[in-house]
Amino acid sequence: MDKFVVKGGVPLRGPIETSGAKNSALPALAATLLTDQPVVLRRIPHVRDVRTMQRLLVDIGATVDVDNGCVRIQVSRVRSPEAPYELVKTMRASSLVLGPLVARAGRARVSLPGGCGIGARPINLHLAGLEQLGAQIQQAHGYIEAVAPQGLRGAAIRFERITVTGTEDLIMAAVLAQGETVIENAAREPEVADLADLLIKMGARITGGDLTVTGCVPEHNSALITKLQAAGAEVTEVDRSTLRVRAESVLRSVDMSTAEYPGFATDLQAQYMALMTQAEGIAIIEETIFENRFMHAQELARMGANIRLEGNQAIVAGRKELTGAGVIASDLRASASLVLAALVARGETVIDRVYHIDRGYEKIEEKLAGVGAQIRRLD
Ligand code: EPZ
């Protein structure tokens, strides 16, 4: 066994490079089981658990080519839907192949993970979730055996407690299940978001937000509702003062021009621009009421948005990953658009001069926190 010999007391200086995250790499590797097409993953760290997962995929039927952190995997056919004890006894994340295998091949035989220095690592929540998706599960001789002869079907699943690999396992199973699956109390670690991003790139439709807006007059918002629906959001009038808004997959870009009522309100233009930074395609947003109402474009660009201004038009190229940044609220509606952008951005955004927001939005941070946003006010 190798040893490290460390002599202390020497100050550390200079650049130090990070590697790709193991706990993002493992579910990404397991996700390649879901398709017969090739998947190319970059910045996969060269660590033992990753090598074990790659060997496991080869055993199952994959061809794996590794070149300097870039891994190309293709599972044209699942030859053997099994994760044997000898191979996975040192890797607790072996349960990550259970969901994809039963979803793709209709059966899986996966060794139970062994004991672990950090405490028991049960997978009862993975199993209960898979059963809800329609799998029949048995445990014998240290193995989990799961079958789904009729395939899996979507279900509403609520985890009793948050589990990272459990969430990943079930998301992977659910993307091949018939119908919609809703997972409540899901883990939200960056590695879970990474997996969701990969699955979306592979063609999955992963449920976005689901909001119920109360105390509004739907009719007053008909221009906005029409645009949201054209972009692919599901907007339903629950009753005369309640709207439910859902986005189950990536929205499409839709051009918009502001106009007097009942047209699209200029006061929603900035917020709409934040939305279009996330939609697929290019949206042309035209401001016809005020001359200088694109101040937010520059701040959104600082967060990574791709927006070009031409006179009274903003051309927004969508699907740009926004990243948290320090930004300045310039007016009331611009500030609201920065809050929205911050909600989808990776990392932390600090929005300065929120007194602009306070002029027109009552307790915006409390309302958003109430539906799960991580937002707080600094004095
Ligand atoms: C993941 O483990 C990580 N592993 C761990 O990283 C990490 O420490 C852990 O999440 C917490 O962040 C990988 O991503 C491969 P859990 P996981 O299921 O998914 C209980 C490292 O050092 N539970 O979120 O196995 C469980 O006992 C490793 O890189 C059940 O009761 O952790 C624990 O108390 C170590 N039943 C809690 O939930 C279940 O079915 C959280 O575990 C599943 C979990």
Side-chain angles (χ1 to χ4, degrees):
M1 259 195 238
D2 296 354
K3 296 182 174 63
F4 282 133
V5 182
V6 182
K7 189 166 173 217
V10 185
L12 308 182
R13 289 197 194 92
I16 187 162
E17 201 188 332
T18 56
S19 298
K22 167 190 74 96
N23 289 350
S24 275
L26 292 174
L29 289 164
T32 66
L33 290 169
L34 293 165
T35 173
D36 59 3
Q37 298 298 305
V39 179
V40 178
L41 303 168
R42 298 201 166 78
R43 279 197 91 217
I44 295 293
H46 194 61
V47 296
R48 204 185 59 199
D49 279 8
V50 162
R51 287 197 294 275
T52 307
M53 180 62 95
Q54 286 167 355
R55 274 209 297 278
L56 173 58
L57 294 177
V58 170
D59 257 30
I60 291 170
T63 51
V64 179
D65 298 303
V66 183
D67 181 17
N68 200 16
C70 178
V71 181
R72 182 187 184 279
I73 302 178
Q74 184 161 16
V75 191
S76 307
R77 195 174 68 84
V78 173
R79 196 178 47 231
S80 155
E82 180 159 332
Y85 178 65
E86 297 67 42
L87 200 51
V88 302
K89 64 184 171 199
T90 57
M91 185 187 62
R92 323 282 163 209
S94 54
S95 51
L96 280 173
V97 299
L98 183 61
L101 278 179
V102 75
R104 165 116 180 247
R107 64 199 172 93
R109 187 167 180 270
V110 173
S111 168
L112 277 166
C116 177
I118 63 172
R121 305 276 292 276
I123 58 165
N124 57 312
L125 300 174
H126 305 222
L127 302 184
L130 287 172
E131 278 179 335
Q132 277 184 273
L133 291 176
Q136 295 155 16
I137 293 177
Q138 285 191 336
Q139 197 175 319
H141 314 295
Y143 278 78
I144 301 291
E145 296 188 0
V147 288
Q150 259 81 58
L152 301 178
R153 49 178 194 279
I157 294 163
R158 185 178 164 80
F159 280 124
E160 262 162 45
R161 62 183 295 175
I162 294 176
T163 158
V164 177
T165 48
T167 301
E168 293 163 349
D169 212 7
L170 284 202
I171 292 177
M172 287 189 281
V175 293
L176 288 193
Q178 282 286 332
E180 183 180 278
T181 298
V182 178
I183 303 175
E184 275 188 68
N185 204 24
R188 291 181 295 177
E189 269 67 3
E191 50 266 38
V192 179
D194 273 356
L195 173 67
D197 283 346
L198 170 67
L199 294 172
I200 289 169
K201 282 189 187 149
M202 289 166 71
R205 294 179 58 200
I206 299 185
T207 310
D210 184 349
L211 290 177
T212 303
V213 186
T214 57
C216 62
V217 183
E219 194 191 320
H220 290 173
N221 295 289
S222 57
L224 171 65
I225 292 169
T226 306
K227 288 292 174 195
L228 290 177
Q229 287 171 332
E234 202 177 304
V235 186
T236 40
E237 206 174 309
V238 180
D239 59 40
R240 287 172 59 92
S241 63
T242 309
L243 282 172
R244 183 168 178 200
V245 187
R246 280 182 287 180
E248 290 189 351
S249 55
V250 174
L251 299 183
R252 294 180 290 277
S253 297
V254 177
D255 295 346
M256 184 278 283
S257 185
T258 60
E260 293 83 357
Y261 187 82
F264 194 102
T266 174
D267 288 354
L268 288 175
Q269 177 258 106
Q271 302 89 314
Y272 188 77
M273 191 180 292
L275 177 71
M276 285 299 109
T277 67
Q278 299 307 297
E280 186 82 55
I282 292 180
I284 300 177
I285 296 177
E286 193 176 38
E287 174 56 61
T288 65
I289 310 288
F290 290 109
E291 287 158 28
N292 188 18
R293 206 173 197 184
F294 282 148
M295 308 280 275
H296 44 282
Q298 214 175 345
E299 297 300 294
L300 291 173
R302 295 195 61 250
M303 297 174 71
N306 182 341
I307 303 170
R308 192 155 48 90
L309 298 182
E310 280 184 12
N312 71 338
Q313 291 189 336
I315 297 122
V316 186
R319 291 297 283 150
K320 290 285 168 282
E321 186 186 68
L322 303 185
T323 49
V327 288
I328 295 183
S330 54
D331 72 46
L332 175 53
R333 310 299 169 183
S335 326
S337 84
L338 296 179
V339 172
L340 296 178
L343 291 174
V344 291
R346 196 176 274 255
E348 193 170 271
T349 299
V350 178
I351 304 168
D352 205 355
R353 303 195 191 159
V354 293
Y355 57 81
H356 284 298
I357 298 199
D358 293 335
R359 283 175 39 222
Y361 293 93
E362 189 182 13
K363 297 182 187 159
I364 188 171
E365 71 277 28
E366 282 179 33
K367 287 177 183 154
L368 291 172
V371 290
Q374 292 184 11
I375 178 171
R376 69 200 151 90
R377 180 182 289 261
L378 283 185
D379 245 344

